[in-house]
Structures are given as structure tokens and as C-alpha cells.
Amino acid sequence: MHPKRIFKTPEDLVKAWNEYKDSLKERAKEWEKIQYVGKDGNKKTDYPKLALTMAGFEVFCYNNYGCVNQYFDNQDKMYNDFLTICSHIKNEIRDDQIQGGLLGFYNPSITQRLNNLKEQTENTTNQNVKLINLDPLDDSNDNGTSEDSKEQK
């Protein structure tokens, strides 16, 4: 075990992950959306769902626990016991972003870029070029229909 571990067990990292997700619900209140609905113009306040991001989780951990990058990087294989939870966290982030993009809650273009998703269209063109060599002085292309060829016959 690494002597400077912030999280001693994978369960400790799971706890921090769940705290991060809960903190997003609180942070969403910073971007409240006020609407006036109905014939009487009743005030309605909505809060957006904030996307899960790896950067957001790293910032949350740094502010509350310390640096968490080494758990995900697993340099020198010192965090092998955290591989499963780190993989789960990455996949949950990716799934949240893709689903949010598909449903229109998140910007689909940004979601695609963050997750290395792109639509590929294959364009193939057939460039068969037929070269025609026409000599303007050669009237053999007239198939015997030119005035000169009629005179020769």
C-alpha cells in the first residue's frame, strides 16, 4: 500500500464519488432557471442537471480530500486495488454524458467531443476521365460527313 494514500480502500473512493454526485445537485442551484407559466404567470424555478465530468470529480476531490489523479493513472501499479472502482467511475461519467447528449439535456456536439464520438461519412468518388484527343485540323472525326470528305468521294 502506498504510504500517502488519501483513500485507504476502494469504498472510501466510492464514498467520495457519491459525495461529488450529491454536490452537483447543490451546485445546480447556482444556475436556476425562472419561468412564468400558465395564464396567471405562476413563477416556477428549475435547476439544470449538471453533467458528471472527470475534471469536476478531480476538482471536488482536490478541494475536499487531495489529489485523486494517481488512483486513475495507477502509475507503478500502486493502486491496482482501485482499478474496478476507477473503471466504474469513468464509465458512469461517459454514460451520463452520452445519455444526456442523446436526450438533449447536454450539448450533443460537446458530448461527442468529450467521449471521442463522431459521425463518419464515407465519400468515395469515381474519377474515370476519358481523354478525347481532337485535332482541329484532322477531319477524320467527321465520319465522312464534312464538306471536304464529300468532295473527295
Side-chain angles (χ1 to χ4, degrees):
M1 179 185 290
H2 191 274
K4 294 184 180 180
R5 278 190 177 182
I6 299 166
F7 303 110
K8 302 297 181 199
T9 66
E11 290 76 22
D12 294 337
L13 185 58
V14 170
K15 182 177 176 262
W17 172 245
N18 290 328
E19 288 173 6
Y20 164 68
K21 292 190 293 185
D22 290 339
S23 77
L24 290 180
K25 294 173 187 168
E26 282 300 311
R27 287 188 55 214
K29 294 177 182 175
E30 296 173 17
W31 290 285
E32 71 180 19
K33 181 179 178 182
I34 298 173
Q35 300 179 50
Y36 294 94
V37 296
K39 67 177 182 162
D40 298 328
N42 296 325
K43 182 179 178 180
K44 182 180 177 192
T45 304
D46 288 324
Y47 303 103
K49 180 187 180 312
L50 299 182
L52 302 174
T53 65
M54 193 66 212
F57 182 54
E58 289 173 359
V59 169
F60 174 83
C61 285
Y62 186 82
N63 290 338
N64 294 285
Y65 297 100
C67 187
V68 73
N69 297 12
Q70 66 273 18
Y71 294 88
F72 292 90
D73 297 340
N74 195 21
Q75 189 174 1
D76 300 327
K77 310 292 184 225
M78 297 174 72
Y79 298 91
N80 283 341
D81 48 334
F82 287 86
L83 286 176
T84 302
I85 185 57
C86 289
S87 177
H88 171 76
I89 289 171
K90 287 178 184 177
N91 287 331
E92 190 172 343
I93 288 170
R94 189 170 198 267
D95 180 61
D96 177 73
Q97 291 175 356
I98 291 171
Q99 294 300 329
L102 288 170
L103 296 172
F105 290 102
Y106 307 146
N107 182 312
S109 177
I110 294 172
T111 300
Q112 290 169 353
R113 277 187 250 136
L114 287 173
N115 291 287
N116 296 319
L117 301 172
K118 60 182 176 178
E119 184 176 324
Q120 291 182 328
T121 53
E122 188 174 318
N123 295 327
T124 57
T125 56
N126 189 354
Q127 297 180 347
N128 290 335
V129 178
K130 186 174 183 179
L131 297 176
I132 301 174
N133 187 7
L134 294 176
D135 184 356
L137 300 176
D138 181 12
D139 61 356
S140 63
N141 290 328
D142 292 337
N143 297 325
T145 58
S146 72
E147 292 297 322
D148 293 336
S149 63
K150 287 179 185 174
E151 290 176 10
Q152 290 177 357
K153 289 185 181 177

